[in-house]
């Protein structure tokens, strides 16, 4: 199973969440505190991803605010959190380094347009083609990526660049991380008045500030102080050359953003017991990125780590996501001196607990119980996610799963045969006839020794594609050359339409769709051009 249990996440049972979804005072308190927890964890993430993309920290913070707010209001799943992400930042950096940040803003706007179009044409429904092993590899790989991303917090400025911590600073950092994780684990057992991650951040921050413990703080990354994001049309030439520059980046960013968002949508849906919303999420992500591009943000998508923090903190409605975005804006405008004092160790501890809750530990136990191909896909997607990015990993996983499925079905085609009292030979085909099984299909028959009339019965088979049509045409030619007749029986509606459209049926009436009667269709050879 890929879904973490609500108990493991420190959240309330689903039934309680549903019953309290009317935003009672208690529910509002939980949602707002969950939003505050998410906002605190968003700050170092947004700053770090801005550095990865090669832009000013406020560009990342503005993106986290705008994308988070718009998707919280209009997104396809309450409880999801969106913002600036590392998966997009690693793509943006080359565009920024070569052409500048204004081209990035233009690419983000175009990215949003593509995502809106994906929502309009309901392309999100194709996420149902992502197999379960790919989902397992996705969450495992993403958990590892989140873990590895936290390791950068263990570096401090040095003469030749960032250096790994050592000595007292490292020990203090590790101790505070351990304390934060212990608080998050134990707090729900004592009280649920405030989210466990918020309790961990608050207690550890107080300890560090009161005792002036020398560990890195948020302010050591960068100052987060700023003003309101201002409307800004990207300063790029409106020419075909500009489009040629930003189009490839926009397509890649749109694809990565939607894949990560829709997979997060499915994962949060598993936890909250909700379905649907894919097209709405595409529209919301697209609209958010269009707005972000015009307000100086780097764009973004759903964040599985922050979404898990929100769920873990009890967030179940749109209010938590809205609160997170508004708290983040408040940090930028008025509370930056306070937020910059929060120790990074507390935020790293929260993210480590997210890693533990996100990783599908059950996938390790079932490796020997599932088909070897599925186990391979889980490992493959996990490794590719870590080494490259999420979009490539998912695409690779789907392709490998599809090839495995095609191969398995290609080996399943077989036939039983018998001779009727009238002397005709009937081949009862079992298994789908498609590109993978076309060669095996042709080897079933014996045109040289078969009687003058051969009937191919598709009761337990389906004619699926052009390769299947070509295989039938080639088989009919062999029997025609031998002076024998080939007929098809028990064609379903879809098979009949496919063959009739190809011009292969001499009888042009769909009177055998439901296997009510046995009508034999004579094959018209040469309709596909005969050859290659």
């Amino acid at each position: 199973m890929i879904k973490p249990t609500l108990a493991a996440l420190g959240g309330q049972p689903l039934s309680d969440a549903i019953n309290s979804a009317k935003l009672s005072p208690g529910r509002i308190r939980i949602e707002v505190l969950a939003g505050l927890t998410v906002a605190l964890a968003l700050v170092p993430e947004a700053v770090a991803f801005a550095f990865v993309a090669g832009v000013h920290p406020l560009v990342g913070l503005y993106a986290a605010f705008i994308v988070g707010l718009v998707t919280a209001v209009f997104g396809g799943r309450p409880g999801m959190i969106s913002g600036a992400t590392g998966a997009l930042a690693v793509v943006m950096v080359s565009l920024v380094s070569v052409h500048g940040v204004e081209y990035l803003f233009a690419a983000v706007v175009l990215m949003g347009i593509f995502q809106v179009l994906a929502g309009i044409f309901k392309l999100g429904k194709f996420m149902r083609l992502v197999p379960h092993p790919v989902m397992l590899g996705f969450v495992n790989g993403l958990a590892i990526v989140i873990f590895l991303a936290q390791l950068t917090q263990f570096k401090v400025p040095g003469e030749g660049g960032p250096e790994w911590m050592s000595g007292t600073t490292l020990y203090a950092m590790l101790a505070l991380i351990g304390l934060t994780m212990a608080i998050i684990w134990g707090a729900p057992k004592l009280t649920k008045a405030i989210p466990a991650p918020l309790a961990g951040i608050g207690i550890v921050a107080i300890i560090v500030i009161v005792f002036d413990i020398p560990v890195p703080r948020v302010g050591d990354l960068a100052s987060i102080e700023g003003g309101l994001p201002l409307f800004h049309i990207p300063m790029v030439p409106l020419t075909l050359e500009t489009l040629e520059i930003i189009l490839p980046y926009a397509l890649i960013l749109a694809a990565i953003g939607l894949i990560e968002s829709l997979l997060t949508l499915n994962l949060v849906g598993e936890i909250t017991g909700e379905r649907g919303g894919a097209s709405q999420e595409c529209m919301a992500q697209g609209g958010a990125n269009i707005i972000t591009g015009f307000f100086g943000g780097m764009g973004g998508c759903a964040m599985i780590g922050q979404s898990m923090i929100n769920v873990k903190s009890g967030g179940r409605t749109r209010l938590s996501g809205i609160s997170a975005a508004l708290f983040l804006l408040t940090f930028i405008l008025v509370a930056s001196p306070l937020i910059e004092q929060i120790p990074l160790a507390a935020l790293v501890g929260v993210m480590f607990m997210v890693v533990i809750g996100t990783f599908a530990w059950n996938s390790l136990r079932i490796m020997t119980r599932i088909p070897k191909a599925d186990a391979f896909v889980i490992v493959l997607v996990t490794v590719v996610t870590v080494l490259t990015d999420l979009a490539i990993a998912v695409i690779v996983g789907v392709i490998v799963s599809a090839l495995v499925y095609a191969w398995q079905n290609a080996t399943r085609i077989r036939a039983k045969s018998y001779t009727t009292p009238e002397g005709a030979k009937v081949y009862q085909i079992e298994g789908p006839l498609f590109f993978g099984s076309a060669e095996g299909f042709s080897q079933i028959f014996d045109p040289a020794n078969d009687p003058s009339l051969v009937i191919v019965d598709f009761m337990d088979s389906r004619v699926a594609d052009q390769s299947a049509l070509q295989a039938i045409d080639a088989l009919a030619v062999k029997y025609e050359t031998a002076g024998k007749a080939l007929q098809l029986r028990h064609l379903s509606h879809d098979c009949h339409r496919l063959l009739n459209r190809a011009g292969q049926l001499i009888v042009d009436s769909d009177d055998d769709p439901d296997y009510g009667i046995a009508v034999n269709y004579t094959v018209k050879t040469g309709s596909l051009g005969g050859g290659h």
Side-chain angles (χ1 to χ4, degrees):
M1 296 174 64
I2 63 171
K3 57 180 180 181
T5 62
L6 290 176
L9 289 171
Q12 63 181 168
L14 180 58
S15 58
D16 293 348
I18 294 174
N19 293 334
S20 59
K22 297 180 180 179
L23 291 182
S24 62
R27 169 51 44 185
I28 292 176
R29 176 182 59 81
I30 293 173
E31 298 291 330
V32 172
L33 290 178
L36 175 59
T37 307
V38 170
L40 290 172
L42 271 173
V43 173
E45 297 276 306
V47 172
F49 295 146
F51 285 150
V52 171
V55 297
H56 192 278
L58 282 177
V59 175
L61 291 168
Y62 286 154
F65 161 63
I66 297 173
V67 175
L69 180 61
V70 174
T71 56
V73 175
F74 300 105
R77 180 85 71 243
M80 281 180 60
I81 302 296
S82 297
T85 64
L88 298 181
V90 295
V91 177
M92 297 172 178
V93 62
S94 60
L95 175 62
V96 174
S97 63
V98 176
H99 299 283
V101 71
E102 294 295 333
Y103 279 83
L104 172 61
F105 297 150
V108 169
V109 172
L110 186 57
M111 160 194 176
I113 294 173
F114 286 140
Q115 291 177 328
V116 169
L117 292 175
I120 293 174
F121 292 105
K122 301 186 182 302
L123 300 184
K125 64 185 178 182
F126 290 106
M127 290 306 295
R128 70 186 63 175
L129 298 178
V130 177
H132 192 256
V134 176
M135 283 293 293
L136 287 172
F138 156 70
V139 295
N140 289 350
L142 212 50
I144 295 173
V145 169
I146 293 173
F147 172 80
L148 295 176
Q150 307 313 307
L151 298 183
T152 59
Q153 310 301 349
F154 288 88
K155 293 184 177 182
V156 293
E159 294 181 0
E163 299 176 350
W164 290 103
M165 289 181 184
S166 60
T168 305
T169 304
L170 176 61
Y171 298 142
M173 184 85 167
L174 293 175
L176 292 171
I177 291 173
L179 177 60
T180 304
M181 296 175 69
I183 294 172
I184 295 173
W185 175 81
K189 305 178 187 302
L190 301 176
T191 178
K192 294 184 179 179
I194 61 174
L198 182 59
I201 294 172
I203 293 174
V204 172
I206 291 172
I207 292 174
V208 170
I209 294 173
V210 170
F211 293 98
D212 195 23
I213 299 176
V215 292
R217 308 185 187 188
V218 170
D220 294 327
L221 287 179
S223 173
I224 65 170
E225 183 179 2
L228 286 170
L230 301 176
F231 182 79
H232 170 78
I233 297 177
M235 302 297 291
V236 296
L238 298 179
T239 62
L240 185 60
E241 182 181 358
T242 299
L243 181 61
E244 291 176 351
I245 292 173
I246 66 173
L247 180 60
Y249 289 97
L251 286 172
I252 295 172
L253 292 171
I256 293 175
L258 287 185
I259 290 174
E260 185 161 356
S261 298
L262 294 176
L263 289 177
T264 304
L265 180 99
N266 290 341
L267 183 60
V268 173
E270 288 286 331
I271 298 172
T272 60
E274 298 181 6
R275 296 291 182 270
S279 296
Q280 183 177 345
E281 184 64 27
C282 292
M283 297 278 285
Q285 292 288 338
N289 281 306
I290 292 173
I291 296 173
T292 302
F294 283 118
F295 280 87
M298 61 183 282
C301 64
M303 308 177 73
I304 187 172
Q306 307 301 331
S307 298
M308 291 299 100
I309 291 176
N310 188 43
V311 172
K312 181 175 183 177
S313 302
R316 300 291 185 273
T317 71
R318 298 186 185 277
L319 181 58
S320 58
I322 295 172
S323 300
L326 295 179
F327 275 123
L328 185 60
L329 181 62
T330 303
F331 297 163
I332 297 171
L333 297 179
V334 298
S336 58
L338 177 61
I339 301 303
E340 289 173 5
Q341 294 303 311
I342 294 177
L344 291 176
L347 302 176
V348 172
V350 171
M351 297 309 296
F352 279 174
M353 292 300 287
V354 169
V355 169
I356 295 173
T358 301
F359 195 91
W361 301 100
N362 187 53
S363 64
L364 301 179
R365 184 175 58 83
I366 65 174
M367 280 291 186
T368 58
R369 303 181 184 180
I370 60 178
K372 293 181 180 179
D374 290 342
F376 172 75
V377 169
I378 294 174
V379 175
L380 176 66
V381 174
T382 300
V383 172
V384 176
T385 299
V386 174
L387 297 181
T388 58
D389 62 61
L390 172 65
I392 294 176
V394 172
I395 292 171
V396 168
V398 170
I399 291 174
V400 172
S401 298
L403 291 175
V404 170
Y405 176 80
W407 175 258
Q408 291 173 343
N409 279 276
T411 59
R412 287 175 184 166
I413 194 162
R414 58 184 61 87
K416 298 177 182 177
S417 63
Y418 64 89
T419 302
T420 67
E422 293 78 15
K425 188 171 184 178
V426 178
Y427 287 89
Q428 294 178 314
I429 306 299
E430 297 178 0
L433 178 55
F434 69 113
F435 67 90
S437 60
E439 183 176 352
F441 172 79
S442 64
Q443 295 174 356
I444 292 173
F445 301 90
D446 186 9
N449 300 313
D450 280 344
S452 59
L453 177 60
V454 173
I455 300 173
V456 184
D457 192 332
F458 284 96
M459 171 73 81
D460 298 317
S461 181
R462 288 293 184 274
V463 181
D465 58 12
Q466 192 271 341
S467 296
L469 298 176
Q470 193 67 51
I472 292 174
D473 186 79
L475 182 65
V477 169
K478 291 180 181 178
Y479 279 102
E480 188 178 77
T481 302
K484 301 173 183 179
L486 180 72
Q487 295 179 342
L488 311 181
R489 177 182 291 178
H490 285 145
L491 295 175
S492 62
H493 277 298
D494 54 339
C495 298
H496 183 282
R497 284 194 297 269
L498 189 62
L499 287 159
N500 190 45
R501 188 182 305 116
Q504 288 184 275
L505 298 184
I506 292 179
V507 179
D508 186 16
S509 61
D510 192 0
D511 54 1
D512 189 22
D514 300 313
Y515 306 148
I517 56 176
V519 175
N520 295 331
Y521 298 99
T522 303
V523 181
K524 179 180 179 181
T525 60
S527 58
L528 296 180
H532 303 286

